[in-house]
Amino acid sequence: MKKIFILSIMLISCLISTAQSFDKKNLVVDLSFGLEAYAVSYNYKLHYNNSTIKDTTTKSGAVNRFGALGIEYGIHKRFGAGIRLKSNRYFTSKDANTGATPDASSFEANVQLNYHPLIFNHFDLVIGSDIGYSYLNYNTNDVMNNKIYGGGSYFNLYLNPRFVFKNFGLNARIFFPTVNYINLTSNNQTFNNYVIAAWKGTGFGMSIGLQYRFSL
């Protein structure tokens, strides 16, 4: 009985002392790389004499690889807030009509809000969200050198387990993003005058990365 009591005290002490991987006034910097896949809805509107003569919506898919840099500050022992910057490069294929392979990329600047429900010495579970702005660039690389670009909203929810070794650690992330470009434009004035394109995507992403924690 005495041994059980001593072991129980040791276990409780261990659990109390393990709440060290994230705390108030901590600053966590992370760098991650991953893949993001979207189900995309494209909308095209053809205008003539100030009237819409054609309104078409098509569905397709899009996949990108990305790198992201995040900074989180502990405003409470279980809550953090920060910013996250993310650069994406989409996978593209040769266009059957032009014979050219387009380039597509985007960039996001987000505010991140995090909740830490489980905090131990070597493990920190994060549930959070990013909300912010995304900007898309699409270059057809054809003889007309058409470019389509524009901004929109970005939002995602994620689960982010972190494995911590003193201040250094590894992390993984699964997330569910939504991006909405509601008003794309082009360097081609004919395109601007006659066609307005927009697209909305919802998807799934995964990443792995590194983080470092500073105690302020």
Side-chain angles (χ1 to χ4, degrees):
M1 187 69 182
K2 184 177 179 181
K3 290 182 179 179
I4 295 176
F5 177 75
I6 294 174
L7 289 173
S8 299
I9 294 298
M10 291 176 62
L11 178 60
I12 292 172
S13 299
C14 181
L15 290 174
I16 292 174
S17 65
T18 57
Q20 302 293 325
S21 59
F22 183 82
D23 206 345
K24 184 178 180 180
K25 295 184 179 181
N26 282 180
L27 187 68
V28 180
V29 179
D30 74 274
L31 178 66
S32 60
F33 301 91
L35 296 173
E36 193 175 40
Y38 286 101
V40 181
S41 176
Y42 300 88
N43 179 252
Y44 301 92
K45 292 182 180 179
L46 180 61
H47 293 269
Y48 183 74
N49 288 338
N50 296 320
S51 299
T52 301
I53 61 174
K54 189 175 183 179
D55 189 334
T56 303
T57 298
T58 61
K59 296 183 182 297
S60 185
V63 179
N64 70 59
R65 60 188 184 275
F66 66 83
L69 175 66
I71 301 176
E72 178 191 10
Y73 178 73
I75 57 179
H76 181 272
K77 66 179 181 179
R78 293 198 181 276
F79 294 95
I83 59 173
R84 190 169 187 81
L85 306 177
K86 182 164 160 282
S87 179
N88 316 295
R89 174 70 64 175
Y90 284 88
F91 295 97
T92 58
S93 57
K94 183 181 293 187
D95 188 282
N97 296 317
T98 66
T101 301
D103 295 321
S105 62
S106 62
F107 177 81
E108 285 127 24
N110 297 306
V111 173
Q112 59 176 348
L113 301 173
N114 290 335
Y115 171 56
H116 300 250
L118 297 176
I119 304 172
F120 300 106
N121 190 40
H122 297 296
F123 181 76
D124 176 20
L125 179 64
V126 183
I127 300 173
S129 65
D130 291 328
I131 182 169
Y133 179 78
S134 181
Y135 192 84
L136 176 70
N137 275 300
Y138 185 90
N139 188 347
T140 60
N141 290 327
D142 58 14
V143 293
M144 299 297 293
N145 195 31
N146 290 320
K147 297 179 181 180
I148 302 170
Y149 46 87
S153 62
Y154 181 90
F155 175 77
N156 82 49
L157 296 172
Y158 54 81
L159 184 67
N160 179 205
R162 297 172 179 173
F163 303 91
V164 182
F165 310 96
K166 292 188 177 180
N167 291 329
F168 175 79
L170 306 173
N171 67 77
R173 179 182 295 228
I174 57 171
F175 59 97
F176 305 90
T178 298
V179 65
N180 189 14
Y181 303 106
I182 59 175
N183 189 19
L184 298 177
T185 188
S186 172
N187 64 326
N188 186 321
Q189 292 303 310
T190 300
F191 179 93
N192 283 334
N193 290 335
Y194 295 102
V195 178
I196 299 174
W199 70 271
K200 180 178 181 180
T202 57
F204 173 78
M206 298 181 66
S207 70
I208 56 174
L210 309 172
Q211 83 266 346
Y212 191 86
R213 178 173 58 96
F214 299 88
S215 298
L216 303 180

